Amino acid sequence: MARRSLLVGFGGFLPDRVVTNDELAARLETSDEWIKTRTGITRRHIAGPQDTATSMGAAAARKALEYAGLTAADIDAVIVGTSTPDQAFPATAVRIQAELGMAQGFAFDIAAACSGFIFALATADSFIRSGQARNVLVIGSEVYSRIVDWSDRGTCVLFGDGAGAVVLSGTDEAGKAGLLSTHLHSDGTAGDLLYVDGAVGRRDMSGHLKMSGRDVFRHAVAKLSSSVDEALEAEGLSYSDVSWLVPHQANIRIIEGVGKKLGLPPERVVVTVDRHANTSAASIPLALDEAVRDGRIKKGDLVLMEALGGGLTWGSALARL
Ligand code: UT7
């Protein structure tokens, strides 16, 4: 029996400060009505001065470890999906290691924008399957409030801050549970549709997020649709086998489109975009954490995760809880 990765721990962290659409409408030419109907978003959490990708990621990781009944001493690797690290280096994952008191194992970040969690999950799974790690913390942690242009109504209303974490644990025992497959893609030729204009290597640029919303929307609908087909076909499964869709939370219209394609009733689609907005790499683990803890997702359920983000990057992960 080949080694498989079980999802054994879930955790999330959201900053205290909640910003409503009305609060944004008080200082920008926008409205609660526009934001709600175009995106499904009603509010978002915004980081306070003390919140960083490291502090939020560590908070989510502690909760995931507690859920799994493990301690940091049991962890062999920390992999973080983030586009908003505290520093160019050390990686956020290494800083989180330090917060958890870990001097063992290895830790690094993955830059795949909103697909960061799926890419991190796939990477962690590879280490587990190859026997290089047994327990891996997979984290998505983002402070997009620090890279959006707060004067650009076309982008700043879409994002929020937060972190989510999952503990993956390898098993050699027979069974159906675990991460069944992951599928990753990127298309570098579409990089200019969604990007951050500069970073520490290009301080001459603004450092702000830029997006061609309509084009990204079109890509998201087409690529996420083919992504879910690819995931199910690889496992010989059909739409009716899926218990839950846990999608990246960018826009309710994209989420509902994929849900409809799968023939899933809305109550089988985990939605947080209404309350969290788009938290990029944190959105899937935050949604997973919420739905596992409130009892919606149960042991044995087949969960389909998918995401698309800057790069363009996109992909899916299929797991039996
Ligand atoms: O997580 C990474 C992946 N990201 C995504 O998947 C996001 C994909 N894109 C989208 O979700 C949507 O394209 C948006 C929500 C970003 C925009 O929705 P849209 O229905 O595509 O609107 P639009 O960009 O075509 O803009 C429609 C109008 C424009 O006005 P005109 O040119 O028609 O006069 C915009 O200037 O809405 C205007 N607009 C706004 N109005 C009020 C843009 N932003 C706002 C705003 N408030 N915040």
Side-chain angles (χ1 to χ4, degrees), residues 284-304:
I284 292 177
L286 271 167
L288 259 182
D289 177 54
E290 188 174 289
V292 167
R293 283 178 190 264
D294 69 18
R296 273 179 288 169
I297 298 182
K298 297 188 172 54
K299 264 203 176 345
D301 284 351
L302 186 71
V303 176
L304 179 54

Side-chain angles (χ1 to χ4, degrees), residues 28-31 34-35 37-39 41 113-115 144 152-159 194 211-218 220-221 224 248-254 278-280 308-310 312:
L28 275 170
E29 208 181 306
T30 188
S31 65
W34 190 95
I35 301 171
T37 49
R38 299 287 176 133
T39 69
I41 297 165
C114 296
S115 312
Y144 269 45
D152 175 13
R153 68 175 186 173
T155 52
C156 74
V157 303
L158 306 172
F159 295 93
L194 173 51
M211 176 164 71
S212 307
R214 256 180 239 185
D215 293 325
V216 174
F217 191 98
R218 263 198 301 275
V221 170
L224 294 174
H248 168 50
Q249 311 278 325
N251 187 319
I252 193 68
R253 292 186 286 146
I254 299 171
N278 182 347
T279 58
S280 189
L308 176 133
L312 291 178

Side-chain angles (χ1 to χ4, degrees), residues 147 194-199 202-210:
I147 56 167
L194 173 51
Y195 63 98
V196 175
D197 184 25
R202 284 295 302 269
R203 290 186 196 274
D204 54 320
M205 297 165 113
S206 75
H208 285 141
L209 182 147
K210 315 266 182 192

Side-chain angles (χ1 to χ4, degrees), residues 16-302:
D16 291 336
R17 177 146 157 63
V18 173
V19 174
T20 62
N21 292 344
D22 283 334
E23 203 177 329
L24 294 180
R27 53 184 153 97
L28 275 170
E29 208 181 306
T30 188
S31 65
D32 178 48
E33 172 67 15
W34 190 95
I35 301 171
K36 259 197 317 227
T37 49
R38 299 287 176 133
T39 69
I41 297 165
T42 65
R43 56 186 192 265
R44 72 282 296 138
H45 291 255
I46 297 294
Q50 74 288 355
D51 297 315
T52 65
T54 297
S55 70
M56 297 192 302
R62 284 192 191 95
K63 290 183 190 159
L65 284 171
E66 192 186 356
Y67 189 105
L70 297 173
T71 69
D74 300 310
I75 296 298
D76 307 309
V78 181
I79 305 179
V80 177
T82 187
S83 305
T84 48
D86 306 2
Q87 298 165 289
F89 68 84
T92 305
V94 177
R95 291 298 195 196
I96 291 175
Q97 240 196 334
E99 292 263 323
L100 299 176
M102 289 175 60
Q104 87 283 359
F106 58 94
F108 62 94
D109 291 355
I110 285 191
C114 296
S115 312
F117 179 73
I118 299 281
F119 277 57
L121 201 62
T123 307
D125 185 44
S126 300
F127 282 119
I128 288 174
R129 284 179 191 267
S130 71
Q132 280 180 273
R134 182 156 196 105
N135 297 315
V136 184
L137 260 170
V138 186
I139 301 167
S141 189
E142 302 278 22
V143 270
Y144 269 45
S145 63
R146 301 207 175 109
I147 56 167
V148 293
D149 173 354
W150 283 102
S151 66
D152 175 13
R153 68 175 186 173
T155 52
C156 74
V157 303
L158 306 172
F159 295 93
D161 301 329
V166 163
V167 180
L168 280 193
S169 187
T171 181
D172 299 312
E173 287 171 20
K176 289 210 163 87
L179 201 51
L180 305 182
S181 68
T182 54
H183 289 89
L184 308 182
H185 297 275
S186 52
D187 172 3
T189 68
D192 287 341
L193 297 182
L194 173 51
Y195 63 98
V196 175
D197 184 25
V200 290
R202 284 295 302 269
R203 290 186 196 274
D204 54 320
M205 297 165 113
S206 75
H208 285 141
L209 182 147
K210 315 266 182 192
M211 176 164 71
S212 307
R214 256 180 239 185
D215 293 325
V216 174
F217 191 98
R218 263 198 301 275
H219 277 284
V221 170
K223 292 187 161 59
L224 294 174
S225 176
S226 59
S227 224
V228 299
D229 285 342
E230 182 181 33
L232 292 169
E233 272 163 28
E235 296 305 309
L237 295 167
S238 59
Y239 296 162
S240 59
D241 293 312
V242 177
S243 323
W244 293 97
L245 177 66
V246 183
H248 168 50
Q249 311 278 325
N251 187 319
I252 193 68
R253 292 186 286 146
I254 299 171
I255 294 172
E256 285 174 352
V258 178
K260 261 196 205 117
K261 175 189 166 70
L262 292 168
L264 279 176
E267 59 274 15
R268 289 268 152 183
V269 180
V270 180
V271 174
T272 57
V273 70
D274 53 336
R275 291 157 291 126
H276 300 175
N278 182 347
T279 58
S280 189
S283 85
I284 292 177
L286 271 167
L288 259 182
D289 177 54
E290 188 174 289
V292 167
R293 283 178 190 264
D294 69 18
R296 273 179 288 169
I297 298 182
K298 297 188 172 54
K299 264 203 176 345
D301 284 351
L302 186 71

